[in-house]
Amino acid sequence: LNIVALRVVKRYREMSLVPEVDAAIDDIVNESISSNDLDAPIAINLDNVKNVGDETKKKIRQEFDEILKLLAYKTLSHDIFRKWYIDGRLPYHVIINDSNPKAGIKELRYIDPIQLRKVKEVEEKQDPKTGAKIITKQEEYFLFQSNKMNTAEQGIKIHPDAIIYCTSGMLDAGRKRILSYLHKAIKPVNQLRMMEDSLVIYRISRAP
């Protein structure tokens, strides 16, 4: 996350603490996640997948159930959906056994999006004939920066394949910054605060 996106995510979280917004989010989460003690809240549907055998579909369903188990989705589905709805993004660190990668995913560890940002380092050189810049080397990675780290330069490099994330799918006008579903509520929340403050001032001024 860059500085602007970091401020926006913090703004969303501050908005979620407003009692009226918190109640609305709870209603949305409860309506979106419906489950019982026997079945998982979500399931994968492969009915429209063609040119794939039944045995392959069976393996896909098994892996899908394994991912739900790693996420503890049956018990934490409301919390997971709430985080995604407020922040507009949901990153996870995929933990595997380096000595035995074929063993598969061992753990899916949630990472606070405020502490994670994607970095792209590009090395360029100028073409002596045309004067155009030519990319000679490009490296992408995620940088994890904990709150305990004092400077912005400190951080842990994580390979891009080790991070999976799901966004809200909403972008700003420039199609560059990810927005949360709470973004449209910024103006109503500000108006609500102004009305509450003005009402308190009015009642105090009329009290004598």
Side-chain angles (χ1 to χ4, degrees):
L1 290 178
N2 54 34
I3 297 177
V4 177
L6 181 64
R7 292 176 180 174
V8 172
V9 172
K10 289 184 177 180
R11 181 72 178 276
Y12 295 149
R13 294 183 179 182
E14 291 174 358
M15 289 172 54
S16 67
L17 299 177
V18 177
E20 290 79 8
V21 178
D22 181 65
I25 294 174
D26 284 340
D27 291 340
I28 293 171
V29 173
N30 292 332
E31 289 292 331
S32 301
I33 304 296
S34 177
S35 62
N36 53 48
D37 296 335
L38 299 178
D39 300 327
I42 58 176
I44 187 169
N45 190 335
L46 302 175
D47 295 341
N48 295 327
V49 178
K50 300 179 181 180
N51 302 324
V52 175
D54 294 336
E55 188 66 24
T56 303
K57 290 183 179 180
K58 182 180 178 181
K59 291 181 180 180
I60 293 174
R61 292 189 180 96
Q62 290 175 349
E63 292 300 323
F64 184 80
D65 293 337
E66 180 65 21
I67 294 297
L68 292 182
K69 183 179 178 181
L70 291 172
L71 290 172
Y73 198 83
K74 192 171 183 180
T75 56
L76 301 177
S77 56
H78 287 77
D79 295 334
I80 293 173
F81 186 86
R82 185 182 178 90
K83 290 176 182 177
W84 171 82
Y85 189 85
I86 294 174
D87 295 341
R89 66 208 79 201
L90 190 69
Y92 279 90
H93 186 195
V94 181
I95 307 296
I96 63 173
N97 187 354
D98 294 334
S99 59
N100 187 16
K102 293 183 179 180
I105 301 173
K106 296 299 181 183
E107 182 184 354
L108 290 175
R109 187 174 300 169
Y110 172 76
I111 299 180
D112 191 338
I114 291 180
Q115 300 176 348
L116 187 71
R117 64 188 179 97
K118 193 171 185 179
V119 179
K120 181 185 289 186
E121 294 181 354
V122 179
E123 292 184 6
E124 298 177 336
K125 71 175 183 179
Q126 192 171 10
D127 190 348
K129 295 182 179 180
T130 62
K133 291 183 179 180
I134 302 174
I135 297 176
T136 58
K137 183 180 179 182
Q138 181 174 322
E139 182 183 5
E140 290 186 3
Y141 58 88
F142 284 92
L143 186 65
F144 174 76
Q145 294 176 309
S146 175
N147 296 329
K148 298 179 181 179
M149 297 177 180
N150 299 325
T151 62
E153 290 77 14
Q154 290 181 332
I156 300 174
K157 285 186 178 182
I158 303 176
H159 195 275
D161 292 340
I163 298 294
I164 57 174
Y165 57 91
C166 174
T167 65
S168 64
M170 296 179 60
L171 301 174
D172 62 353
R175 312 292 296 177
K176 294 182 179 180
R177 193 175 64 192
I178 300 171
L179 303 179
S180 165
Y181 282 98
L182 288 182
H183 193 80
K184 297 178 181 179
I186 292 178
K187 185 176 180 180
V189 169
N190 291 338
Q191 291 175 336
L192 178 63
R193 288 174 176 171
M194 291 172 58
M195 290 175 63
E196 290 175 345
D197 294 342
S198 61
L199 181 61
V200 171
I201 295 172
Y202 171 77
R203 288 181 176 176
I204 291 176
S205 62
R206 296 286 294 176

